[in-house]
Amino acid sequence: MSDPRRYRQEESCAAEENRNKGSSRWSQCRKRGADGVVRGSQKEAELTNNTDRKGNRPHRPNSFTTPESEGPVSRIRDWGDEVEFDEMRTNVRRDMQRYRRRILAGEFTQRERKTSSGSSDSKDSRDSPAPGEFETDESVLMRRQKQINYGKNTLAYDRYIKEVPKHLRQPGVHPRTPNKFKKYSRRSWDQQIKLWKVKLHAWDPPTEEGNDLQAADQIDLGEIMDLDFDMEASVDELQYPKTSSSVSSSLPQDSCTGTPSKMMKMDETEIA
Amino acid sequence: MSVCAGVPLPKPCVLKRMEDSSKEDYKIHSFDMETQKLLKTALKDPGSVDLEKVSSVIVDQSLKDQMFSKEAGRICFTIVQAESKQNGGSVFRRNLLNRLQQEFKAREETRKRSTQEWVCLVSFICNIFDYLKVNNMPMMALVHPVYDCLFRLAQPDALKNEEEVDCLVLQLHRIGEQLEKMNLQRMDELFCLLRDGFLLQDGLSSLGRLLLLEILEFRAGSWTLSETAQKYYYSEVTD
């Protein structure tokens, strides 16, 4: 007799799920499988396409939106999923309260280098949003939070935060969690997430296989078109074997030249 | 003089407050030694054990052991916290809830098979509701299922059993106030049933009636008993 609540998560969640379930090298660095079980890197060899997932209960989104439906279609949930969803929602709401307070307290001034300590996703001190001009739509925030959680639920992220404490992070060099409260277009946000996760891979645990980038082909960087590239030869270059020359702004659609080794600055205006 | 002239009414002791228990006492003595060890490890190092098994073991025992069913919430909560702290996971909670959901779905058959198991199930679900808070709030997902269980206990065929009435009032004492906050309407409906039951139900034992009257007064007093009512229900009749 549960309420048929409408969860306004969008179909990208499902798509993202599938991406995250892939048996590519990237999925090997997920700290937890879709069933929530923490996995060690030895198990990676056993994982094949989705055979593991079907056996264990996959973590599926609560609802999805198809182009045909007018709105979110709720999936029959089990209690486990429902509670996780509620927990995420209360977390997002709490984050929003905090963020609102911090904006009103005028914490976000134009400080170039200094970052405040703490461990929230929204510690972005650049480009302060004016009060009242941040994202408040709960469904958007939930979807973004879920995407952030996927990125943080990786061995790479764990290693990254252990290795680089926040106050030592250099903008441009170290990946920075996108701020879910700032206003971005859907496309812009999705790309930020993608790039952030790609950059996090620099901290992937070393694998047994010699070739680090065997799965690099699976990344579709074709969407990344109108970005400005800073010409910083950063940590990234040292991590990746030089399979590619500099990444230009007009990437070929089909092929991938390896994970980007140049810093990319996100243009926050509408990306075509 | 005393209202209950004549036959002294039996006094219920529905509220057994476990104030004597230390913080570490999770009431796991009823488990065999190996399982106790498993549970203790789960409390300290959840990542190292099979949490699905742990949740399964806990649910199984709760359905058999009345005492444990009323107290299992605490150990569950501790394991949930421990897992979250250790690796940010929620495997135990998810497994526990989904297993609980299965049992909930099968509750009618369980009730037919064994009243005791059914009563244990209700106690356990309510105990989980009480203890397993998420961000300091009760789990929304359990509100309707808990009400469903209580409504079932308020049905005529259940009110005839002292065991079931006792279970019903115990849960209302423990979580009634919280439940009411989550959904006032259903609580109102439930209490309509209880009033009807008290007034009209044939086959209600005198203890059953006493329990119902007490809970009616309890809620009417905003989930607390007045001093005189407390005396009436809980002290010895010295007649």
Side-chain angles (χ1 to χ4, degrees):
Chain A
M1 263 181 108
S2 52
D3 300 326
R5 274 175 279 171
R6 305 190 118 243
Y7 297 108
R8 294 163 59 208
Q9 296 174 21
E10 302 189 29
E11 73 274 13
S12 71
C13 281
E16 177 125 10
E17 283 278 354
N18 292 329
R19 273 208 298 279
N20 283 324
K21 283 176 187 170
S23 60
S24 66
R25 180 214 174 217
W26 310 117
S27 71
Q28 293 175 7
C29 300
R30 289 230 346 259
K31 188 167 75 179
R32 259 188 287 286
D35 60 351
V37 178
V38 176
R39 45 181 160 143
S41 43
Q42 313 89 287
K43 283 203 212 158
E44 302 333 314
E46 301 159 11
L47 288 178
T48 54
N49 259 336
N50 291 332
T51 48
D52 222 32
R53 323 293 174 173
K54 299 239 162 64
N56 303 311
R57 204 178 307 107
H59 194 105
R60 308 172 77 206
N62 292 315
S63 72
F64 46 90
T65 310
T66 62
E68 294 78 31
S69 66
E70 296 107 12
V73 179
S74 77
R75 196 193 296 278
I76 294 176
R77 291 173 302 276
D78 51 39
W79 289 0
D81 285 348
E82 268 194 66
V83 169
E84 293 231 0
F85 181 86
D86 279 344
E87 188 176 44
M88 188 158 72
R89 187 165 55 183
T90 50
N91 283 339
V92 164
R93 284 178 180 166
R94 184 198 56 205
D95 284 352
M96 187 148 75
Q97 299 298 350
R98 280 195 202 141
Y99 191 71
R100 191 176 267 131
R101 276 199 295 272
R102 284 178 25 229
I103 291 185
L104 293 174
E107 267 184 45
F108 296 117
T109 55
Q110 291 293 333
R111 288 173 292 177
E112 285 296 310
R113 296 285 160 189
K114 225 164 54 168
T115 52
S116 43
S117 62
S119 56
S120 130
D121 297 335
S122 320
K123 292 286 181 180
D124 195 337
S125 57
R126 297 171 293 181
D127 312 312
S128 63
E133 278 178 25
F134 62 91
E135 184 61 68
T136 54
D137 184 333
E138 207 168 82
S139 62
V140 171
L141 291 172
M142 295 276 283
R143 173 171 40 81
R144 291 181 175 182
Q145 184 63 61
K146 201 163 186 176
Q147 290 170 294
I148 289 171
N149 290 346
Y150 279 129
K152 290 191 168 182
N153 177 24
T154 57
L155 294 167
Y157 186 77
D158 272 1
R159 296 177 83 231
Y160 169 53
I161 56 177
K162 278 186 192 124
E163 190 182 302
V164 186
K166 268 209 172 181
H167 62 275
L168 289 181
R169 286 197 201 163
Q170 298 163 24
V173 172
H174 294 123
R176 184 185 204 116
T177 308
N179 181 343
K180 66 177 177 278
F181 290 113
K182 288 167 77 173
K183 289 275 194 192
Y184 297 117
S185 70
R186 175 65 188 273
R187 203 181 149 87
S188 163
W189 171 266
D190 285 351
Q191 288 181 47
Q192 287 183 61
I193 286 286
K194 221 186 283 195
L195 294 170
W196 170 65
K197 284 161 79 172
V198 161
K199 281 202 273 183
L200 281 175
H201 281 297
W203 279 267
D204 279 341
T207 58
E208 277 92 56
E209 304 105 48
N211 187 0
D212 288 47
L213 292 183
Q214 61 180 190
D217 298 327
Q218 298 184 25
I219 305 174
D220 174 19
L221 296 176
E223 281 189 272
I224 305 168
M225 297 294 219
D226 305 329
L227 304 173
D228 295 324
F229 295 103
D230 285 345
M231 296 303 289
E232 282 177 57
S234 62
V235 164
D236 300 307
E237 267 200 30
L238 299 171
Q239 300 281 351
Y240 297 109
K242 305 249 178 181
T243 57
S244 66
S245 51
S246 62
V247 180
S248 70
S249 53
S250 56
L251 291 168
Q253 293 275 8
D254 304 317
S255 71
C256 172
T257 49
T259 48
S261 56
K262 301 290 184 190
M263 185 49 217
M264 281 167 283
K265 192 169 86 180
M266 285 305 302
D267 187 348
E268 293 190 67
T269 56
E270 190 71 41
I271 292 179
Chain B
M1 273 319 288
S2 164
V3 178
C4 39
V7 179
L9 284 173
K11 300 297 183 184
C13 296
V14 291
L15 269 182
K16 274 211 176 82
R17 300 177 130 260
M18 311 300 288
E19 240 126 33
D20 53 340
S21 56
S22 67
K23 283 221 163 110
E24 289 305 309
D25 186 1
Y26 295 110
K27 312 265 178 269
I28 60 174
H29 342 285
S30 44
F31 290 93
D32 62 63
M33 287 316 294
E34 199 190 316
T35 313
Q36 284 193 42
K37 201 160 149 240
L38 173 68
L39 292 176
K40 285 183 183 154
T41 315
L43 288 164
K44 293 208 185 71
D45 186 9
S48 68
V49 297
D50 179 354
L51 290 171
E52 191 185 337
K53 171 143 202 260
V54 173
S55 68
S56 184
V57 146
I58 289 179
V59 175
D60 286 341
Q61 186 69 13
S62 308
L63 298 178
K64 292 189 289 201
D65 182 338
Q66 285 229 325
M67 194 274 304
F68 188 65
S69 69
K70 295 175 188 168
E71 308 293 336
R74 210 140 56 93
I75 190 177
C76 289
F77 182 62
T78 310
I79 298 178
V80 168
Q81 299 279 75
E83 190 194 343
S84 177
K85 198 166 168 194
Q86 190 181 54
N87 58 34
S90 58
V91 172
F92 174 73
R93 185 178 69 188
R94 194 179 316 132
N95 277 295
L96 176 71
L97 289 173
N98 292 339
R99 172 74 203 278
L100 205 54
Q101 186 177 20
Q102 283 173 31
E103 296 295 335
F104 172 74
K105 282 195 183 132
R107 64 195 182 279
E108 201 53 47
E109 292 103 81
T110 300
R111 180 174 181 276
K112 285 197 185 86
R113 185 176 63 238
S114 155
T115 310
Q116 214 219 355
E117 222 181 294
W118 154 240
V119 158
C120 281
L121 174 62
V122 177
S123 296
F124 184 55
I125 293 183
C126 293
N127 202 231
I128 292 292
F129 175 81
D130 197 7
Y131 275 95
L132 241 64
K133 300 287 205 301
V134 166
N135 285 330
N136 290 324
M137 288 204 329
M139 291 188 283
M140 292 290 311
L142 291 189
V143 173
H144 279 300
V146 165
Y147 269 119
D148 290 345
C149 289
L150 299 183
F151 269 86
R152 184 60 185 88
L153 289 171
Q155 298 305 310
D157 60 348
L159 290 178
K160 290 194 178 119
N161 294 334
E162 272 174 24
E163 222 181 329
E164 291 184 79
V165 181
D166 184 63
C167 177
L168 172 64
V169 302
L170 174 63
Q171 309 317 326
L172 285 171
H173 274 110
R174 287 178 157 198
I175 62 172
E177 198 172 1
Q178 293 179 58
L179 264 185
E180 187 182 62
K181 283 199 186 92
M182 309 290 288
N183 189 322
L184 176 60
Q185 186 188 354
R186 283 200 88 183
M187 189 56 79
D188 286 339
E189 286 167 16
L190 178 66
F191 268 76
C192 283
L193 280 183
L194 296 185
R195 277 190 210 98
D196 286 348
F198 176 78
L199 289 170
L200 310 168
Q201 178 79 37
D202 289 331
L204 219 54
S205 70
S206 55
L207 177 60
R209 272 199 296 277
L210 184 70
L211 293 173
L212 287 180
L213 186 62
E214 195 266 4
I215 198 69
L216 288 165
E217 265 194 79
F218 187 69
R219 188 200 181 205
S222 297
W223 305 101
T224 187
L225 274 185
S226 70
E227 216 181 297
T228 44
Q230 179 85 18
K231 276 205 193 106
Y232 179 87
Y233 290 104
Y234 291 100
S235 47
E236 296 301 315
V237 172
T238 50
D239 217 20

